[in-house]
Amino acid sequence: MFAKGQTVIQYMEQLAPKHLAEEWDKVGLQLGSLHKEITGVLVALDVNDEVAREAIRLGCNLIIAHHAIIFRPLQGIQTDTPMGRLYEKLIKNDIAVYISHTNLDVTEGGMNDWMAEALGIEDGVPIKDIHSEELSKLVVFVPKDHHQKVLDAILNAGAGHIGNYSHCSFNIEGYGTFIPREGAEPYIGESGKMERAEEVRIETIVPRSIRNKVVQAMLKAHPYEEVAYDLYSMDLKGRSLGLGRVGKLKEPVTLRQFVETVKIGLQVDHVRVVGDLDRPIRKAAVMGGSGAKYYNSAIFKGADVLVTGDIDYHTAQDAGLAGLTLIDPGHNAEKIMKVKVTEWMAGKLAEHKYETAVYASGVNTEPFRFL
Ligand SMILES: [Zn+2]
């Protein structure tokens, strides 16, 4: 059985929730429809004509890409222009295009974590914080005989994380009252009669990203027809999420050695380097795409080097003067997402026994040649 478009995207948004995208960004479904069965998914960094042809050849009717195919407001779609022809080809071949961009950069276990891992950066934290996760307090009242079952469901769905502790909850016994009205099918009690039930009040904490998942798991495990529960929004903030990662290397290396790590880890043949090649690198920062404008944040967080693409002449001079070394592997180093998203999606689809195939695009969309 093939997965439905909505199902594939639900998995994608478990990896990179849309609300993590920056405000200016264009993410989500950009072209086509998800109301169909997905025969194959092609994961690409950019969508161009060659990628569209690859999707057709592989029988994929969904492309998940990092860079938007529609960014500025469209004035029209003229099919005698290169972009117009691309949109036409995709639509005529019923290929939907879904974009996961800054949300994939920011999310934990996404683009920047993959790049950090490839460079041997340990326990990376964001270079630039942009979200503090919203927290809710979840309170639910459960009959005593179902207490453990509901508690397990809530905590196993991921609620109750505080710092390095998981499965945190508070439980207090009491009693609840209710009168089942006409039409009710009560788990305990009878119609029209005041019931007094031994119950436990469970309370715990839930981050926004998994709130729906936790509530669904709770409702499924709860025996009552109408579950009494509350979600309070809290002033306390959860973990910080943001762009880039900065962290220590396992052991200090010279900039010269670290350049080799970057080339191997990110699979690039050439990099541009700013700084003394013998300088020791203890703490490294990496940001997918164009992150040079955050060089001050990288310095503030103690980085000796910033690895990012698209570094311009003046920023290179300024960062160098400020004492930061730089390595530019090119914007295309983000191609790491092709294999990583493919692995994630193939795992999710296999877990649910879908036949939908997933491919990492083999098209090299690097526009530059180094001669
Ligand atoms: Zn990018």
Side-chain angles (χ1 to χ4, degrees):
M1 193 173 57
F2 292 121
K4 292 255 173 13
Q6 293 96 328
T7 307
V8 175
I9 294 312
Q10 207 182 316
Y11 298 152
M12 192 57 209
E13 291 181 3
Q14 283 172 16
L15 171 63
K18 259 164 88 174
H19 72 266
L20 294 182
E22 294 209 66
E23 253 168 53
W24 51 263
D25 202 8
K26 304 283 183 284
V27 298
L29 182 70
Q30 285 211 306
L31 201 74
S33 168
L34 294 172
H35 294 276
K36 60 180 180 183
E37 292 189 333
I38 303 299
T39 48
V41 181
L42 181 64
V43 181
L45 179 58
D46 308 279
V47 185
N48 61 16
D49 186 67
E50 214 182 329
V51 172
R53 279 188 277 129
E54 185 184 31
I56 295 166
R57 194 176 66 245
L58 295 170
C60 296
N61 58 356
L62 173 64
I63 297 176
I64 295 179
H66 189 52
H67 294 139
I69 53 162
I70 302 171
F71 200 78
R72 295 173 194 91
L74 284 176
Q75 304 304 324
I77 299 178
Q78 294 168 12
T79 53
D80 54 1
T81 64
M83 280 315 284
R85 258 199 305 277
L86 176 61
Y87 300 143
E88 182 189 25
K89 181 174 278 176
L90 292 164
I91 289 170
K92 276 189 173 167
N93 287 282
D94 193 24
I95 297 170
V97 178
Y98 177 93
I99 303 299
S100 185
H101 188 219
T102 47
N103 45 334
L104 186 66
D105 293 334
V106 165
T107 194
E108 288 189 335
M111 178 79 87
N112 284 304
D113 283 319
W114 296 325
M115 294 182 92
E117 190 191 351
L119 303 186
I121 295 173
E122 300 190 324
D123 301 325
V125 297
I127 297 176
K128 175 79 185 161
D129 295 338
I130 56 172
H131 293 278
S132 291
E133 199 160 38
E134 283 175 39
L135 295 175
S136 303
K137 168 80 70 176
L138 172 64
V139 173
V140 59
F141 303 88
V142 194
K144 258 172 104 174
D145 58 350
H146 272 68
H147 172 219
Q148 197 59 45
K149 187 178 175 202
V150 174
L151 182 64
D152 287 346
I154 293 171
L155 298 178
N156 290 337
H161 273 266
I162 302 177
N164 288 331
Y165 295 82
S166 70
H167 297 75
C168 302
S169 71
F170 192 80
N171 303 267
I172 186 165
E173 290 185 14
Y175 65 88
T177 65
F178 51 87
I179 300 178
R181 314 298 295 195
E182 208 169 302
E185 287 177 25
Y187 171 71
I188 31 177
E190 48 190 276
S191 191
K193 206 174 139 207
M194 167 78 97
E195 188 60 37
R196 181 179 154 131
E198 299 286 318
E199 291 180 345
V200 181
R201 172 192 165 106
I202 303 173
E203 57 184 281
T204 186
I205 206 160
V206 191
R208 174 182 162 159
S209 56
I210 57 164
R211 201 163 57 194
N212 288 345
K213 184 180 157 200
V214 170
V215 168
Q216 289 312 318
M218 174 194 79
L219 293 175
K220 211 171 151 196
H222 202 294
Y224 282 4
E225 192 179 12
E226 300 290 350
V227 177
Y229 72 97
D230 304 310
L231 273 170
Y232 304 99
S233 58
M234 298 177 67
D235 276 344
L236 283 178
K237 292 288 183 201
R239 290 168 310 174
S240 281
L241 298 173
L243 294 168
R245 295 292 182 265
V246 52
K248 280 197 176 132
L249 301 178
K250 192 169 259 164
E251 46 195 48
V253 292
T254 62
L255 179 60
R256 190 190 309 274
Q257 289 167 316
F258 193 60
V259 162
E260 290 312 310
T261 305
V262 170
K263 285 162 79 171
I264 295 165
L266 300 180
Q267 295 182 21
V268 289
D269 295 332
H270 299 84
V271 295
R272 295 187 300 153
V273 184
V274 178
D276 175 0
L277 290 174
D278 293 319
R279 175 172 165 175
I281 307 293
R282 295 179 184 85
K283 209 169 184 185
V286 62
M287 194 180 298
S290 323
K293 59 177 174 288
Y294 298 109
Y295 77 84
N296 272 321
S297 306
I299 293 172
F300 181 73
K301 297 218 168 170
D304 300 302
V305 64
L306 171 63
V307 180
T308 193
D310 296 342
I311 300 173
D312 67 275
Y313 183 84
H314 293 295
T315 308
Q317 284 180 327
D318 293 348
L321 272 177
L324 185 67
T325 64
L326 300 168
I327 301 175
D328 185 341
H331 197 133
N332 198 256
E334 291 185 317
K335 66 188 175 195
I336 194 170
M337 60 78 64
K338 293 194 287 189
V339 170
K340 296 292 187 178
V341 171
T342 300
E343 281 172 6
W344 162 273
M345 188 58 75
K348 282 281 167 190
L349 290 164
E351 191 185 310
H352 295 89
K353 310 225 176 340
Y354 287 116
E355 288 167 49
T356 304
V358 194
Y359 305 92
S361 171
V363 177
N364 179 8
T365 53
E366 170 67 85
F368 295 108
R369 294 289 170 268
F370 300 91
L371 302 175

